[in-house]
Amino acid sequence: LEKYLHHDYEGNYFYGGTPYMDVRCSPESENYLIYGHNMLDGSMFAVLHYYVDADYYKDHKEFHVFTEEHHYVYKVMSAFVTDVNGIVYRSHFSSDEDYVNYLYTIAGACPYETDYGELTADRKVITMSTCVGNDDDHRMVVVAIRDREIKEES
């Protein structure tokens, strides 16, 4: 993990580092935890801090994730500052009920209302996390829930 803090994806030194997924995550994870730097120049995950403003959220409610085989649309469901050991950093759950309870807890942590649809156990989330200034004890997180898959025409 340390190599991603100040290296690009090709292994070259780059102070901004590379966003990376938590080692505890797997394809079966319900929550994909992704970490990135809060850069002063506005790059990397600095934009996550804009989500403290409900007006910013209104103009940036969703984002797209592309894999080799899929194109997913995720809806932002929550954005808040949390403790570095907060509940948001779970990637696996003991049951569907445990996971859905987690989703409701995370959605309820957002200081404003968001539009994310029904919270069900079959909807995976992405949690993006970044630093809060020089505060080593807290992180800004934006949690987005998978809304739909876009089928590409071949």
Side-chain angles (χ1 to χ4, degrees):
L1 297 176
E2 293 293 319
K3 77 175 187 177
Y4 296 111
L5 290 176
H6 296 293
H7 290 83
D8 66 18
Y9 69 95
E10 294 178 323
N12 302 308
Y13 179 81
F14 174 61
Y15 184 76
T18 301
Y20 62 94
M21 189 175 299
D22 192 297
V23 68
R24 296 170 293 176
C25 295
S26 69
E28 293 76 35
S29 297
E30 290 91 347
N31 183 11
Y32 300 114
L33 304 163
I34 303 174
Y35 305 95
H37 284 300
N38 172 19
M39 301 300 292
L40 293 176
D41 66 2
S43 64
M44 294 300 170
F45 278 16
V47 70
L48 298 183
H49 288 274
Y50 298 161
Y51 279 97
V52 298
D53 181 359
D55 288 331
Y56 183 82
Y57 160 77
K58 289 175 187 172
D59 292 331
H60 304 87
K61 292 182 178 184
E62 61 183 39
F63 61 88
H64 296 251
V65 173
F66 298 88
T67 69
E68 290 182 16
E69 300 171 358
H70 301 281
H71 174 185
Y72 297 113
V73 178
Y74 281 76
K75 286 190 170 186
V76 173
M77 65 179 280
S78 196
F80 56 96
V81 174
T82 187
D83 183 84
V84 294
N85 296 313
I87 188 175
V88 71
Y89 294 108
R90 293 179 65 190
S91 58
H92 296 281
F93 301 85
S94 61
S95 67
D96 287 352
E97 180 181 7
D98 183 32
Y99 179 55
V100 171
N101 287 336
Y102 165 86
L103 293 175
Y104 277 102
T105 299
I106 298 307
C110 192
Y112 50 83
E113 193 171 317
T114 57
D115 175 27
Y116 46 78
E118 184 179 1
L119 298 178
T120 58
D122 62 331
R123 297 181 71 195
K124 294 184 182 250
V125 294
I126 292 175
T127 298
M128 296 167 285
S129 177
T130 195
C131 300
V132 178
N134 292 324
D135 183 345
D136 291 338
D137 297 326
H138 295 90
R139 298 290 182 266
M140 177 70 203
V141 294
V142 173
V143 182
I145 191 163
R146 188 180 296 165
D147 185 57
R148 65 192 181 277
E149 182 174 0
I150 295 176
K151 300 290 185 184
E152 304 293 334
E153 295 183 26
S154 44

